[in-house]
Amino acid sequence: YLEKIFKADAVLHFGTHGSLEFMPGKQVGMSDTCFPDKLICSLPNIYYYAANNPSEATIAKRRSYAGTISYLTPPAENAGLYKGLKELSELVASYQGAKNSGRAASIVNVIVEKARQCNMENDVNLPEVDAKELEPEQRDNIVGMVYKKLIEIESRLLPCGLHTIGKPPTANEAIATLVNIAGLDRPEEGENGIKSLP
């Protein structure tokens, strides 16, 4: 249809993996009985493909005769904390300053309640009893687990919008992305794994 009726000069594909290269047919050496070959015919297939997904770009090249042009992924930044999570972080900080006082148990009760409001009960083992019934070490452990989860949430990477083809990231966006990448441990190499920057 595209070539013979619509009379297209080429196919421009924006995005990461469409259905063309995943249609039924051989994995290598397409023939005229394979759907990707039947659908693309002799049209040039120009494919803008995300640079962080070379394995699927290879499939597009192999199965749909695509000429791929890589584009950058959007710059990333830390997710940070907001609303209830920010309040929870402030409560944890106040517990650190008051854990040896008589207010420690009441602060832990407020932390547990706020953690439930933030739907953390599936990620952190929150007690069902009043914190006054817990030993100081148990209270410390609860607050420590909540704090660890908050750090995990805060340090998640989120894309800052979308990448515009032909427009490089700003210096600040590039620096933020590189700092976040350098802050990740690479344990997949075992003993030779790359440690994050301090």
Side-chain angles (χ1 to χ4, degrees):
Y1 170 82
L2 287 176
E3 187 174 14
K4 295 187 171 57
I5 297 171
F6 186 75
K7 304 222 183 279
D9 296 316
V11 172
L12 296 176
H13 186 114
F14 292 84
T16 300
H17 77 71
S19 58
L20 175 62
E21 62 268 25
F22 293 106
M23 297 298 266
K26 297 188 287 185
Q27 291 300 310
V28 182
M30 298 283 107
S31 68
D32 61 356
T33 62
C34 298
F35 280 77
D37 188 81
K38 284 181 175 183
L39 292 170
I40 199 66
C41 296
S42 61
L43 285 172
N45 186 13
I46 301 162
Y47 215 139
Y48 287 99
Y49 223 92
N52 67 340
N53 199 350
S55 59
E56 288 189 13
T58 302
I59 294 170
K61 288 178 181 185
R62 188 179 70 225
R63 297 202 75 233
S64 66
Y65 317 120
T68 58
I69 300 171
S70 296
Y71 65 87
L72 296 172
T73 57
E77 65 183 2
N78 284 341
L81 298 176
Y82 55 92
K83 295 184 182 177
L85 295 172
K86 191 161 186 63
E87 293 170 21
L88 189 54
S89 178
E90 291 165 2
L91 286 167
V92 168
S94 70
Y95 174 78
Q96 294 302 326
K99 69 180 182 177
N100 294 323
S101 72
R103 298 180 348 172
S106 62
I107 294 173
V108 171
N109 283 333
V110 175
I111 288 172
V112 168
E113 181 58 33
K114 183 56 83 173
R116 281 200 174 91
Q117 289 174 6
C118 294
N119 299 315
M120 284 185 140
E121 63 270 5
N122 293 330
D123 301 309
V124 177
N125 189 12
L126 299 171
E128 299 294 332
V129 298
D130 191 307
K132 291 176 184 161
E133 299 176 26
L134 301 173
E135 295 294 321
E137 185 178 302
Q138 292 173 303
R139 291 194 293 255
D140 286 351
N141 286 339
I142 292 163
V143 174
M145 289 186 299
V146 169
Y147 176 72
K148 183 178 177 184
K149 189 63 185 173
L150 285 170
I151 294 298
E152 180 186 319
I153 292 168
E154 184 176 24
S155 61
R156 284 186 183 147
L157 294 179
L158 294 177
C160 308
L162 298 173
H163 173 70
T164 303
I165 294 172
K167 182 181 172 197
T170 66
N172 287 340
E173 291 171 336
I175 289 168
T177 300
L178 292 172
V179 166
N180 284 315
I181 290 169
L184 299 172
D185 283 336
R186 305 288 193 284
E188 56 271 0
E189 299 295 324
E191 287 181 21
N192 300 325
I194 300 170
K195 297 290 182 198
S196 68
L197 293 176

